[in-house]
Every structure is written in C-alpha cells, then in structure tokens.
C-alpha cells in the first residue's frame, strides 16, 4: 500500500562552515494511513526542524517529502497550498501559537479561514454559522460554551492546548503533527491531553506524527517509534519491541532515564 507520507534522505543544515549544525541528517521514513508514528529524542536532536520541513515551513537542502505520491518539496505554490490542508500541526507552546488578541471561538477557526473554499468537515448543517462550527470543534476537545468568548490568557495551559488541538483537527487533516503537545503541562493534565489525542486519532482516522522527548509518552501513543539523535534516525521499531535487546544504546539510555525517575 502506498504510504501516506514518504520521507527520503532529508537533509537540513543551519549555518555554514565550522558553525554549521546538521539539524536533520539523511532522514528517511514512512507514515501509513491511520498510523501514529512516534518521534523521540533529546532537546536539540532535530525533531522540530524535521517537523518544519514536513509542514513546508522550510525547504530541505536535499531529499524529498512525498504526500500520497506528490512531492511537497517540488510542489508549486498553488499545489503546496492545497497539500497544506492535509498536514496540520499542534505546537508545544500554545502561548505562542494562539493569537492573544483573538477570542477562543475565532482562534479555533484560523485554519478553516485559510481555506475558505473548503467546506468545514464537521459542519452538520450548511446553514450553521461560523460560531456554531467553532462550538462543535470545541465540543470535540471537551470545551464548552463558557470558553467561547475568553481570550487565551483567561484559559489554563491545558485548555489552551485543547483550543490548539481543535484548530489542528478542524480541516480533518490526513496527518496531524503534534510537537511536544504536553511538555508545558503538569502530569495529570498531560495524561488527559494524551487521552484526548488518542481518542481523536482513532475517531477521525487521522495519521499522527507524535513528537516528544518523553519516551514513555511516545510509547503510550504510537504504533511505531523513530529515535532521533544529532539529526539522524538511530533506531526504528514497532512500539511493542521497545524492550527488546537489539534496541540501540541511545534508546536504552532514554528508557533507563524514565525508569530511574519512576524509582
Ligand atoms: N533556525 C535555526 N537556525 C539555526 N539553528 C537552528 C535553527 N533551528 C534549529 N536550529 C538548531 O538545530 C538543532 C535542532 O533543533 P530542533 O529545534 O529541531 O531540536 P528539537 O529536537 O526540536 O529540540 P527540543 O526538544 O528542545 O524542542 C539545534 O542544534 C538547534 O540549535
Ligand atoms: Mg522541538
């Protein structure tokens, strides 16, 4: 079966000469339809740089990204715009990703507003107005009418992240990239957000690229896991193979850090 996403020999270097950083180095992988692929690695390993390439926010130096057979790297502006509809994102920092001058109900509609030609996938009745669309989306992430007219600073971190998730799913994308969605949240809220993401992924049959430095969270969420170190993928395995002896030393190191913390 043709994968949803195929990434081949991707390279992205920042800076030049002695100061050059190989943020993404010869990275290849696929994501199947409906799959949650986990991406784990320590801070600075290149996870967000890779995400920015997949979102076509930056161009790679080398390599290709193919979505359902078409190249994102070679796509012309118009085609790229259409492809973007199918790859959406939830970033770590909902403080930065939500516009603090927009009330919640407007923030939720930002991605839909970028594609006025697309009929909102979760609209039940075409006569419904924009606000009703927002209410539906917020309902899907467990927020109620009382949150509609609030501004981001009037929400908790977990609630803000729910708004970002509602915006992320609003176009019912083929692929949702979630980059450290729970890093700024406390443990209980973190668990609830992960549960919500898993539930939405199953219900909406989306593929996920789930990015985190927390191998336990990645293990909980993903069918398959990539381990990234210094820009390169050093290990790749099915989630249930996480404790097998052939795991890379670095994977074992990430695992033992979690294990030590739980002692
Ligand atoms: N725009 C940029 N200009 C120069 N260097 C950059 C830029 N973006 C990232 N880098 C460098 O590339 C490397 C990878 O950074 P990246 O943000 O992708 O890591 P990360 O795995 O997402 O880390 P974290 O877990 O902290 O989010 C780092 O060394 C970083 O300093
Ligand atoms: Mg990052």
């Amino acid at each position: 079966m043709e994968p949803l996403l195929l990434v081949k020999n991707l390279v992205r270097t920042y800076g030049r000469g002695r100061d050059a950083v190989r943020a993404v180095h010869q990275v290849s992988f696929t994501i199947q339809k409906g799959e949650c692929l986990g991406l784990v690695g320590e801070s600075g390993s290149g996870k967000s740089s890779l995400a920015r390439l997949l979102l076509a926010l930056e161009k790679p130096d080398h390599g290709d990204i193919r979505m359902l057979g078409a190249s994102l790297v070679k796509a012309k502006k118009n085609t790229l715009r259409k492809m973007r509809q199918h790859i959406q994102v939830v970033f770590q920092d909902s403080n930065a990703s939500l516009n603090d001058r927009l009330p919640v109900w407007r923030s939720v509609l930002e991605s839909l507003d970028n594609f006025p030609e697309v009929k909102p996938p979760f609209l039940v009745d075409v006569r419904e107005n924009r606000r009703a669309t927002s209410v539906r989306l917020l309902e899907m992430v467990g927020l109620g009418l009382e949150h509609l007219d609030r501004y981001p600073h009037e929400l908790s971190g977990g609630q803000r992240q729910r708004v970002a998730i509602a915006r992320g799913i609003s176009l019912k994308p083929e692929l949702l990239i979630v980059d450290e969605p729970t890093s700024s949240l406390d443990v209980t809220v973190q668990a609830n957000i992960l549960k919500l993401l898993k539930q939405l992924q199953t219900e909406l049959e989306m593929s996920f690229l789930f990015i985190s430095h927390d191998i336990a969270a990645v293990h909980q969420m993903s069918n398959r896991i990539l381990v990234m170190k210094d820009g390169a993928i050093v290990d790749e395995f099915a989630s249930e193979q996480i404790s097998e002896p052939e795991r890379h030393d670095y994977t074992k190191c990430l695992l033992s850090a979690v294990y030590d913390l739980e002692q």
Side-chain angles (χ1 to χ4, degrees):
M1 198 173 67
E2 185 184 5
L4 174 71
L5 193 87
L6 187 147
V7 171
K8 199 154 185 221
N9 299 333
L10 218 55
V11 175
R12 179 73 166 106
T13 305
Y14 294 111
R16 281 168 185 276
R18 281 178 50 204
D19 298 327
V21 178
R22 295 197 306 193
V24 177
H25 188 61
Q26 294 291 351
V27 167
S28 301
F29 62 89
T30 57
I31 302 181
Q32 301 297 333
K33 211 170 153 42
E35 178 183 42
C36 179
L37 180 68
L39 176 64
V40 65
E42 66 195 352
S43 182
S45 55
K47 307 181 297 295
S48 297
S49 302
L50 177 59
R52 284 197 298 275
L53 296 177
L54 301 185
L55 290 161
L57 297 173
E58 288 178 22
K59 287 267 179 209
D61 305 328
H62 298 284
D64 201 7
I65 303 163
R66 301 182 79 81
M67 171 95 174
L68 293 170
S71 171
L72 254 137
V73 175
K74 294 181 192 122
K76 296 250 161 50
K77 216 170 150 194
N78 256 340
T79 319
L80 187 61
R81 186 179 166 279
K82 285 199 186 110
M83 289 171 93
R84 278 212 167 107
Q85 182 195 140
H86 303 297
I87 309 184
Q88 295 284 307
V89 65
V90 178
F91 284 115
Q92 165 178 0
D93 186 357
S94 51
N95 268 331
S97 75
L98 296 180
N99 182 341
D100 44 292
R101 281 170 307 186
L102 284 186
V104 162
W105 77 271
R106 292 276 312 278
S107 286
V108 171
L109 299 176
E110 272 183 314
S111 293
L112 283 168
D113 287 345
N114 288 332
F115 294 92
E117 73 278 20
V118 175
K119 178 181 168 285
F122 302 113
L123 199 67
V124 180
D125 184 332
V126 284
R127 287 166 302 184
E128 280 182 337
N129 60 20
R130 278 160 51 77
R131 204 170 150 94
T133 307
S134 188
V135 170
R136 272 200 70 70
L137 284 162
L138 286 168
E139 228 171 49
M140 291 172 77
V141 298
L143 294 176
L145 295 175
E146 69 275 24
H147 301 110
L148 275 188
D149 295 309
R150 293 207 200 153
Y151 287 84
H153 72 271
E154 297 169 321
L155 297 175
S156 70
Q159 289 167 338
R160 273 201 299 274
Q161 206 52 305
R162 285 174 191 263
V163 175
I165 293 169
R167 183 178 60 187
I169 62 168
S170 62
L171 284 155
K172 199 170 186 296
E174 296 281 348
L175 176 65
L176 187 66
I177 298 181
V178 276
D179 189 352
E180 304 268 12
T182 59
S183 299
S184 56
L185 307 173
D186 74 45
V187 184
T188 335
V189 182
Q190 221 176 69
N192 288 335
I193 296 282
L194 292 187
K195 217 168 104 190
L196 170 70
L197 283 167
K198 193 77 215 166
Q199 176 208 329
L200 289 169
Q201 193 224 338
T202 317
E203 269 176 33
L204 307 179
E205 298 174 331
M206 288 181 290
S207 304
F208 269 27
L209 177 65
F210 182 85
I211 301 177
S212 178
H213 64 273
D214 177 355
I215 197 164
V218 169
H219 184 222
Q220 180 193 334
M221 289 291 293
S222 314
N223 306 103
R224 215 152 42 86
I225 299 174
L226 303 175
V227 181
M228 196 169 190
K229 183 176 192 299
D230 300 331
I233 304 299
V234 295
D235 205 358
E236 176 176 357
F237 50 92
S239 213
E240 57 273 15
Q241 298 169 329
I242 197 164
S243 352
E244 289 187 359
E246 73 259 29
R247 290 286 63 79
H248 192 279
D249 283 346
Y250 182 63
T251 311
K252 290 178 182 164
C253 179
L254 293 175
L255 280 167
S256 69
V258 175
Y259 184 69
D260 286 348
L261 276 177
E262 283 173 358
Q263 292 296 297

